[in-house]
Amino acid sequence: MATLGLNDVKTGKKILHNGDPWIITEADFIKPGKGQAFTRIRIRNLKDGRTTEQTLKSSDSFEEADVTDTDMQLSFIDGIGKDRLWHFMNMETFEMVPATQAAMGDAWKWLKGEEECVVTLFNGNIVAVQAPKFVELKIVETDPGVRGDTSGGGGKPATLETGAVVRVPLFVGQDEVIKVDTRTGEYDSRVK
């Protein structure tokens, strides 16, 4: 593993901190009028999602985390509640690796099975899952549309087949398939 000095600390770098992998989400170099310059970083734990701030002096350094991002396919979901596991398959080696609720983050809302996801592995375990940018899901429950509803103004909540709830335009009805942007959790369009 490489050692990162103050000049190497940049947004998006993955580091080891207290034995866990963290990602740098913000990095600000600060040079006060008086005193020594320093860097303030905001980091997010890849295992449990906690965030914290650190102040680094010029003599501080971090170990770069040995994490890999790879494409894997969601094979099946097992269990219920907090014991639920999402099993991902490496498409080249056909190896199965389970992901916990903490590793899934909000990605579970958009996955029903067989989607290709970007999975972050640390020591052979999944620590983070990134859902595809857009998914197509069926609406299982929403208020009925009324004649004269247009695309302008307002919206209504719709429950999708995965259990996620998104706001949709008034003209979208139940049992329709819609395209959702997983980065924002917003309705994109209807699928024909």
Side-chain angles (χ1 to χ4, degrees), residues 58-80:
S58 61
S59 61
D60 291 340
S61 64
F62 280 108
E63 287 291 318
E64 191 168 12
D66 188 20
V67 295
T68 55
D69 289 340
T70 184
D71 290 334
M72 295 182 99
Q73 183 180 25
L74 177 61
S75 187
F76 65 96
I77 302 167
D78 186 25
I80 56 173

Side-chain angles (χ1 to χ4, degrees), residues 24 32 34 36 54 66-67 84 95 120 126 138 167 172-173:
I24 299 172
K34 193 178 199 184
Q36 189 176 13
Q54 295 281 315
D66 188 20
V67 295
R84 180 181 273 180
E95 174 189 5
T120 303
I126 296 176
K138 184 177 178 181
R167 287 199 68 74
V172 176

Side-chain angles (χ1 to χ4, degrees), residues 79-142:
I80 56 173
K82 291 186 179 197
D83 296 329
R84 180 181 273 180
L85 292 175
W86 288 259
H87 296 269
F88 287 87
M89 180 172 57
N90 184 324
M91 298 305 291
E92 295 170 6
T93 63
F94 302 107
E95 174 189 5
M96 298 290 282
V97 183
T100 63
Q101 178 76 44
M104 290 299 293
D106 285 340
W108 68 269
K109 291 193 244 181
W110 315 115
L111 303 177
K112 60 182 179 177
E114 298 187 10
E115 293 92 355
E116 289 239 355
C117 301
V118 176
V119 175
T120 303
L121 296 168
F122 176 68
N123 292 339
N125 297 319
I126 296 176
V127 293
V129 175
Q130 198 175 351
K133 290 182 178 144
F134 292 97
V135 292
E136 296 177 358
L137 296 168
K138 184 177 178 181
I139 296 174
V140 294
E141 184 182 336
T142 190

Side-chain angles (χ1 to χ4, degrees), residues 6-7 9 26-32 36-41 56-58:
L6 196 60
N7 292 335
V9 174
E26 290 178 34
D28 295 322
F29 179 75
I30 300 167
K31 185 166 176 29
Q36 189 176 13
F38 61 92
T39 300
R40 183 173 294 130
I41 60 172
L56 306 175
K57 299 180 294 199
S58 61

Side-chain angles (χ1 to χ4, degrees), residues 138-151:
K138 184 177 178 181
I139 296 174
V140 294
E141 184 182 336
T142 190
D143 295 332
V146 179
R147 186 167 183 219
D149 285 345
T150 62
S151 63

